[in-house]
Amino acid sequence: MKNLLSVAILAFALAGTTLSLRAADLRVPADYPTIQAAVEAAQTSDTIHIAPGVYTGQVQIISKTLTLIGQPGTILRATEQMASLPGWRGHVPIMAIQSSEVTVRGLTFEGERLAGHFVGPGVGNLVGMYFRESSGTVENCAFYGFRESTPGPEGTDPLVFLRFAVDATEVKFRVVGSTFADNYGGIFCLGSATHQSINVTVENNTIVGLGPLTTGLNYAGIEIREGVGGRIAGNTISGYSYVGTAAAFPIGFGIVAANEANSPAFGILQHLEIEGNTLRDNQAHIALIKGDGSVVRNNRFQGTAPGIIPVGLAVTGERVTIANNQFEGMKEGIRLVGNDPTFGTILGKAVDAQVTSNRFCGVTTPVTVQPLANATEAGTLLCPFPSPTLAIAPAVLLSWPGEDDGWTVESATSVDGPWAASDATPFMQYGRHSIAVPTDGERRFFRLR
């Protein structure tokens, strides 16, 4: 009887311990008057719910795993009273995240066009969210007004991801379903100069620039730098261009991926998949510099804005795949850079590019292969396009969480095998890996291995 009582007491104590470690929900302002107060009180894996309202205090999250959730009307707004934060290179972020894993959902960040206010010695750019040495997810958020009241030379970024650490640990960032408008730039990612330190997923966002502008810096809807690899898919990016100058810069980019760690020589980028994006009225829709082995496919390029170097896609690097893209209403569709009249060979050369099944309508020069560049081109179509052939065949659609990488789909007609790997190509949709596998009308079994 005594032993049974001891077991019961121990079980109760363990249950109490489990309950005490359970993630909690903290509410602002119901439980805590400010977001920062809730962050400081939060424990690992807690969720902070932020009610509608305007919040003007800067927020720092250091060495925590948290989720922050807003509602329609939850606004974090910049003010002139904000200051650069110690250790943040003088930058002035609304939310600064260091050495943490943070999910942010449903928040609106407003820069109030205050970029010109934060200038002077020791003062850096105004920033909306600044992730440093951290993993994170930004989902269904909005970023407005990260610019000057009158467009000029000052810098500002709505969303920044940095990881400089020299160790081999890789962090993951996801930016999904968010809106960027009335800003200079959009999303900026910078990692290690020696290896891939950031695996980024940027999907289904809307990013609208201010162009065409007559002054400013080289801004982009999405800017990818050294140490960053991953997937950019399903985004709509428009309005990045500058006019009124005969100089080589500034340039507005829809997407620019260029490793400048060894500038001016540039370095090799990490592997990128740029797929299913719509790019409208940008000066240079996509620039992929030394993107060895990267893939640009199923994107739609519509018009190019006036300015220096108006082009749909400019590429250097070895074995870049350019497939199934559609280019409409522009002077130049694809530029395979070699010995460029403006930049020479500083940007590298496009070597063994695979240019396959791209479509061009209203494009003066569909493909330019500069001296010292080379490519294999096949299946190019000019409008009017032939009617597509629709093939219908039995298939099954399989999916699994996007956080789980490295799996191979295998199939067999029996649970006892033999199992064979599928040659179908997985794709990312709504944060999940998916794959369509033909079944040929047979009963089949599937597994991840």
Side-chain angles (χ1 to χ4, degrees):
M1 191 67 176
K2 183 183 296 185
N3 290 339
L4 290 174
L5 181 60
S6 299
V7 170
I9 293 172
L10 178 60
F12 182 79
L14 289 174
T17 301
T18 302
L19 289 173
S20 66
L21 296 177
R22 185 174 298 167
D25 289 309
L26 291 71
R27 302 187 183 279
V28 178
D31 301 327
Y32 298 90
T34 65
I35 300 172
Q36 186 63 48
V39 166
E40 292 172 0
Q43 303 298 315
T44 297
S45 300
D46 284 354
T47 297
I48 299 173
H49 298 270
I50 308 170
V54 176
Y55 301 84
T56 57
Q58 289 173 271
V59 179
Q60 289 193 72
I61 302 174
I62 301 175
S63 300
K64 293 200 172 187
T65 300
L66 296 176
T67 298
L68 282 70
I69 300 177
Q71 300 178 39
T74 301
I75 299 170
L76 281 69
R77 181 174 292 168
T79 69
E80 294 183 359
Q81 287 69 46
M82 289 170 51
S84 58
L85 298 177
W88 289 86
R89 299 189 175 190
H91 286 84
V92 184
I94 294 178
M95 182 177 290
I97 299 169
Q98 169 73 45
S99 304
S100 299
E101 184 173 345
V102 176
T103 295
V104 178
R105 186 178 302 126
L107 301 183
T108 295
F109 293 80
E110 294 183 349
E112 292 290 280
R113 300 184 177 182
L114 290 175
H117 178 77
F118 301 104
V119 297
V123 180
N125 294 351
L126 171 66
V127 180
M129 293 186 69
Y130 198 143
F131 285 81
R132 192 171 67 181
E133 309 298 334
S134 302
S135 290
T137 296
V138 177
E139 184 175 345
N140 297 330
C141 291
F143 299 81
Y144 303 119
F146 289 87
R147 49 167 289 192
E148 297 165 274
S149 57
T150 300
E154 299 303 326
T156 179
D157 291 289
L159 182 57
V160 174
F161 299 115
L162 299 183
R163 175 158 170 75
F164 294 130
V166 297
D167 63 78
T169 305
E170 181 181 87
V171 298
K172 292 185 177 182
F173 293 130
R174 294 180 64 245
V175 186
V176 181
S178 294
T179 300
F180 300 77
D182 195 34
N183 309 306
Y184 284 155
I187 301 167
F188 179 87
C189 299
L190 172 62
S192 169
T194 60
H195 64 281
Q196 181 167 317
S197 59
I198 298 176
N199 188 323
V200 65
T201 300
V202 181
E203 288 187 327
N204 303 324
N205 303 284
T206 300
I207 306 174
V208 182
L210 298 177
L213 296 175
T214 58
T215 184
L217 303 175
N218 297 315
Y219 282 112
I222 300 174
E223 182 170 353
I224 301 294
R225 296 277 292 276
E226 56 265 23
V228 182
R231 181 174 171 80
I232 302 172
N235 304 284
T236 299
I237 306 171
S238 63
Y240 282 90
S241 68
Y242 292 95
V243 296
T245 175
F249 294 101
I251 300 174
F253 300 93
I255 300 171
V256 60
N259 178 350
E260 296 188 65
N262 299 312
S263 182
F266 290 87
I268 304 301
L269 280 172
Q270 302 299 319
H271 177 81
L272 290 171
E273 293 187 4
I274 303 175
E275 181 172 7
N277 302 283
T278 298
L279 300 112
R280 298 190 182 104
D281 298 324
N282 303 295
Q283 187 174 348
H285 289 298
I286 298 178
L288 178 63
I289 307 303
K290 292 191 176 180
D292 289 7
S294 292
V295 177
V296 182
R297 63 186 168 212
N298 296 323
N299 301 284
R300 190 166 187 177
F301 301 79
Q302 297 179 316
T304 48
I308 304 301
I309 315 177
V311 65
L313 170 63
V315 170
T316 71
E318 299 183 5
R319 303 175 307 282
V320 176
T321 298
I322 305 169
N324 302 107
N325 301 285
Q326 183 159 318
F327 299 81
E328 307 167 23
M330 60 188 65
K331 292 182 179 179
E332 186 176 5
I334 299 172
R335 178 182 299 186
L336 301 174
V337 179
N339 188 3
D340 186 81
T342 301
F343 301 105
T345 58
I346 192 173
L347 303 178
K349 302 181 290 292
V351 178
D352 294 331
Q354 302 299 309
V355 183
T356 307
S357 300
N358 296 286
R359 296 182 170 207
F360 301 89
C361 191
V363 179
T364 306
T365 304
V367 180
T368 300
V369 182
Q370 293 185 339
L372 304 184
N374 61 76
T376 299
E377 185 177 351
T380 296
L381 292 176
L382 304 178
C383 68
F385 304 129
S387 299
T389 301
L390 179 63
I392 300 176
V396 62
L397 180 66
L398 309 172
S399 71
W400 60 97
E403 293 81 5
D404 298 333
D405 295 320
W407 292 99
T408 298
V409 175
E410 296 184 338
S411 66
T413 57
S414 168
V415 291
D416 299 321
W419 294 88
S422 171
D423 58 2
T425 302
F427 58 92
M428 184 73 74
Q429 187 175 34
Y430 305 118
R432 296 179 65 85
H433 295 290
S434 299
I435 188 170
V437 182
T439 60
D440 299 324
E442 298 179 313
R443 183 183 68 171
R444 301 193 72 84
F445 297 86
F446 299 93
R447 69 181 185 185
L448 291 177
R449 188 175 177 85

